Amino acid sequence: MRGAVRVRRDFEEPVRPLSEQVVGRDELLGRAREQLSRGGSLLLHGPPGIGKSTVLRAMAAEYAESARTVLRCSATESESHLPFLALVDLLGLVADEVADALPAPQQAALEAALTGRAESSLHQDGLALRLAVLSVLRALAAKGPVLLVADDLQWLDAPSAELLGFAARRLGGMPVRMLGAVRTGTEPKEQEHDPYLRAYPPETLALRLTPLSHPQIAELLTNRGHTGLRRSTLRDIHHTSGGNPLFALELGRALAESTTPHRPGEPLPVPTSLRALVLSRLDLLSAEARRTLLVASAGARPTQALLAAAGRRNVEAEIALAASLGLVAALGPDSHGPDGQEGAVRFAHPLVSAALYAQATPQERRAAHAALSTAASDPIERARHLALATTGTDEEVAARLSEAAALARDRGAPSVAAQLGLLAARHTPADGRPGADERRLRSAEDALTSGQIDLAREVARDVLDRATDAAVRVRAWMVVIDSAGQAMADVEAVFPQALADAGDDPRLLALVRYQLAWRALLVEGEMAKGREEAAHAARLAATAGDRSTELLALSFQAQMETLMGHPAAPATLEKALAEPQDLRVACDHNGAGATRFRWLIMSDQLTDARATITRLLGEVRRRGIVESEVHFLRGLAETELRSGHCGRALDLAHESLRLARDTGIGEAAGNMFTSLAEAAGGDVHRALALAADAVRRAEDDGDLIYLSRALGALGHARLVAGDAAGTVESLRRARELEQGIGIFDPARGRWHGDLAEALVLIGEPAEAQDVITATREHAVRLRRASVLAVLDRAEALVKAAAGHHEAAAEQLTSAQDRLAQLGYGLEEARAALALARLRAEQSGRGSYDEAARLFRRCKAVPWLRQLDAAVLAGTAPAASAPTVPESVLPHLDRLASTERQVAALVLEGATNREIAARLYISVKTVEATLTRVYRKLGIRSRVDIVRLAAGQQRGD
């Protein structure tokens, strides 16, 4: 055990140096800060390796800056039997500072305990020693705040724990904060940490550290230098570690130290340190029981019935013993596992299974797979186990794996198909037909479908290193191009090579020309050229009889014509929707179904658009087409946002963004649209950050198409945030970009009204009118009714700025009615807000009730906050704001406006949740605001606010 103490100046605001390095604990750190900032104590708990010590060190470093005295101890198992050792670490260096103030009996008892020179114990000098510890802490606290930090409380010696508990219960209002961490079980158990709370003050907050998510584990590994890992490998690390940071880092280290690269579908190397940690009780099992567990670890979804079919004779007894040792959690024969299977066998932690498998010899693993290859009922599982039980090449095994891959593909599991395809290629003989390269390429295409972009690219590049067949090479080039996503500029050198391999073959040329259409759009920003390339690709594909490529090219052509406002768009879309259809293409995010959805939503047909995108989303989920799922989730979110369902849109946008970040598919676009959803129904600061990130990514990728949309999102977020000048800066640039690209349909980005509104706000009504007039011309020609209504709303602001208030009010009323009829709930509410502001400016009074009602219906939180700002600024009726009793006003003068509102609602008896609902903020924001109120008023709880008001009424 090692202790440390530091004596420093009086209380200051804490700095936050180390906690910023803690990954994935933002919410927990927020709750911890709230507790500590109001003088409370904190106990962190969770299983080994979950990050308790990391968070403890971060919080201790952060709050040590605000303490005069810092006391530390860190217990170890080997020293836990030594009495008073923790007390020595905590008080050994500071006792002399206050010892003279202690009564003689207390001095003697404390000295005996700290030095071990006497035979003092809790039995002999119990009361004196207890009082001595309490007196020392009180004396230190009288000189300034004290922070006591204790790690690994489970190893704290019993006498020290009892003394700390005695003192903690009696410190009362003294400025002593205790910060500790204790190990509890992997499976959460009710009140498991309770015994350790006895050493802490009564109102200590206990926080359990939970496993990290997949993106958080990826971030942690990157921060620690484990870069360049495939996303599929990162997913395996997250699954095997169970989200445990220590386990994940150890697995990452093992991969880095391995001499052979990890191949997809293979188990991760488990270092000896982790094997020893999770398999410490394995020696208590018989050799047969260990073999049973090995077979279970080799199975995808092991059950007792499967293990019995694989030749394990005493399954029930062996699993029961393993469960008693904490290696597995066995379900009874009549019970069901997470996937509904009867008699399921679930390991206590995924790492137990991985460690068992890693510890076995290659021969033992092959024997386990051989047994499962006949016992498994699923043909996919049988083929997989047969492959893992077989060494060398074998055409029969390769053929069975290819059949299993096709079955997995049909079941909507392309990621499984990709793994099976790679196994098939590995077992394919040199003279096999189809060849190993063709099987690898099919695996790469499956990986692309399932969102395993890096794996798809790697396999395709591997095929290109060896393949000579032109058709195989061109297909491989297509995978390389598709895996680049929006960053097509990164694969510029691929196109000449792909064209050379395609030669004069119209089928192969159609594939390359289709990709050149995307290049013209994304890299060159030439929409007309992209349309021409797509039309060329469609003609070549029709000549070759390749209906799939023809449909994709026609869909792209129709999409370009729609954005350009080209009169041929409806006819081209009709061709793309004509029979015969390819079902795979029909539900692709670049197929005719998606193009039709875009047409519907731009034409204000929101109901049909929702039905179309919902059907497409269901189909791609059934097929496991991850990239299309990302796009269609975003499309459904856009439909809900246009309809004014801001909460639903925000949820869908975040779901799409999580999937995009998990797979690396379209993160820039995901950030862009999530920014729009946050600005409508979430938090405007997050909206600004997401939009700025989307702009940066689009610029880095050289993606002009999404850059214009990202700038539109950034401009909108700035408008909602009240930054009109920033809005104009972003949207002027978006306008210039779209004019250069050739995008003339204003229903695509819908930023034109925002630009005109912001121009009015910065005193440029003439330019605002120019934007409105130019945009209206295209909107009228293309019959974009909602765009026209929004332009009328913006034009009313131009009229109001010129003093034509009656005409402006009439135009706003008309715009609001039309937007309501079209079903654009949020835009309707914005028109109502503009109308209320206009009337308030005219008469000095007016009602914001209608706007508030519409924004509440939409759950448009940022806009409701704008109404609150209007209330505080005196531009809206103050009756909607909570009132503050006159008696407490002198005390609340030192508070910010939001703090005053929260305090006033506390006086009304509102709960935190009720306050959040009234003020349109989160419960966490209420809690953080109350913490600031307590600090500013020198109080500790909401009860003290009431007492403060009562005291003023009495004249205290």
Side-chain angles (χ1 to χ4, degrees), residues 828-952:
E828 176 195 359
R830 288 182 62 182
L833 175 60
L835 184 58
R837 282 174 171 164
L838 177 64
R839 287 171 174 163
E841 289 169 5
Q842 280 184 277
S843 62
R845 63 181 183 279
S847 173
Y848 283 70
D849 290 348
E850 173 68 2
R853 180 185 68 81
L854 292 173
F855 281 131
R856 287 192 190 99
R857 185 182 68 184
C858 295
K859 297 184 178 178
V861 176
W863 292 98
L864 286 164
R865 288 175 181 157
Q866 281 200 20
L867 282 180
D868 283 345
V871 170
L872 294 172
T875 60
S880 60
T883 57
V884 182
E886 293 292 329
S887 60
V888 79
L889 278 174
H891 287 276
L892 300 194
D893 281 346
R894 71 193 75 169
L895 302 181
S897 58
T898 302
E899 294 165 355
R900 285 199 301 273
Q901 287 182 282
V902 169
L905 288 169
V906 167
L907 288 172
E908 292 180 14
T911 65
N912 286 5
R913 188 171 297 279
E914 289 168 342
I915 295 171
R918 288 274 297 276
L919 299 182
Y920 313 111
I921 57 180
S922 70
V923 174
K924 290 178 185 174
T925 301
V926 174
E927 293 170 350
T929 303
L930 279 173
T931 298
R932 293 194 300 272
V933 170
Y934 301 154
R935 184 172 66 246
K936 289 182 179 180
L937 298 183
I939 57 179
R940 295 186 61 117
S941 71
R942 57 169 44 228
V943 174
D944 292 334
I945 297 177
V946 179
R947 288 174 178 163
L948 189 64
Q952 285 296 307

Side-chain angles (χ1 to χ4, degrees), residues 271-288:
T272 305
S273 58
L274 289 186
R275 294 185 204 177
L277 179 64
V278 299
L279 300 180
S280 57
R281 287 153 291 184
L282 193 63
D283 290 340
L284 298 177
L285 294 175
S286 66
E288 286 299 309

Side-chain angles (χ1 to χ4, degrees), residues 49 53 60 150 217 257 283 290 297 341 402 518 537 561 580 609 620 658-659 685 799-800 807 906 911 917 944:
S53 296
I217 287 292
E257 294 175 354
D283 290 340
R290 289 199 294 272
S297 72
Q341 68 271 31
S402 292
W518 280 104
E561 290 171 350
V620 298
R658 281 193 297 270
L659 192 56
H685 300 293
K799 291 177 179 177
V906 167
T911 65
D944 292 334

Side-chain angles (χ1 to χ4, degrees), residues 814-827:
S814 172
Q816 181 181 342
D817 290 343
R818 285 148 54 206
L819 288 165
Q821 291 170 8
L822 290 167
Y824 282 75
L826 183 57
E827 299 297 348

Side-chain angles (χ1 to χ4, degrees), residues 607-793:
T607 301
D608 289 344
R610 182 184 290 105
T612 298
I613 199 67
T614 301
R615 177 181 57 78
L616 288 169
L617 179 59
E619 183 63 22
V620 298
R621 279 176 165 167
R622 187 184 70 80
R623 291 172 175 265
I625 307 175
V626 175
E627 184 172 8
S628 293
E629 183 180 357
V630 171
H631 284 268
F632 293 157
L633 276 168
R634 198 158 58 235
L636 183 55
E638 182 177 358
T639 309
E640 299 297 348
L641 185 57
R642 299 284 171 239
S643 303
H645 305 149
C646 299
R648 171 74 171 147
L650 186 60
D651 290 343
L652 288 164
H654 277 291
E655 185 179 354
S656 175
L657 184 58
R658 281 193 297 270
L659 192 56
R661 288 175 173 172
D662 188 28
T663 58
I665 296 171
E667 289 186 66
N671 286 342
M672 176 274 298
F673 188 79
T674 306
S675 170
L676 291 173
E678 285 284 358
D683 182 275
V684 71
H685 300 293
R686 286 197 295 269
L688 288 165
L690 285 164
D693 186 73
V695 169
R696 180 187 59 77
R697 287 174 180 270
E699 288 174 334
D700 290 347
D701 291 343
D703 183 351
L704 300 178
I705 293 296
Y706 268 112
L707 177 57
S708 71
R709 292 216 64 182
L711 287 166
L714 181 58
H716 180 71
R718 285 174 166 173
L719 182 66
V720 178
D723 178 11
T727 298
V728 170
E729 178 189 350
S730 298
L731 297 186
R732 276 176 175 164
R733 189 179 170 198
R735 186 185 190 197
E736 181 182 350
L737 267 175
E738 293 197 357
Q739 287 176 341
I741 293 170
I743 298 175
F744 296 107
D745 193 329
R748 185 253 187 177
R750 296 179 180 269
W751 46 261
H752 311 75
D754 285 348
L755 175 55
E757 182 176 334
L759 284 166
V760 173
L761 290 172
I762 67 168
E764 297 286 350
E767 185 182 346
Q769 187 62 57
D770 288 343
V771 170
I772 292 166
T773 302
T775 306
R776 182 178 280 138
E777 179 183 346
H778 296 295
V780 168
R781 178 172 57 85
L782 297 169
R783 300 179 181 178
R784 301 305 192 218
S786 63
V787 174
L788 288 168
V790 168
L791 290 174
D792 280 355
R793 185 183 70 204

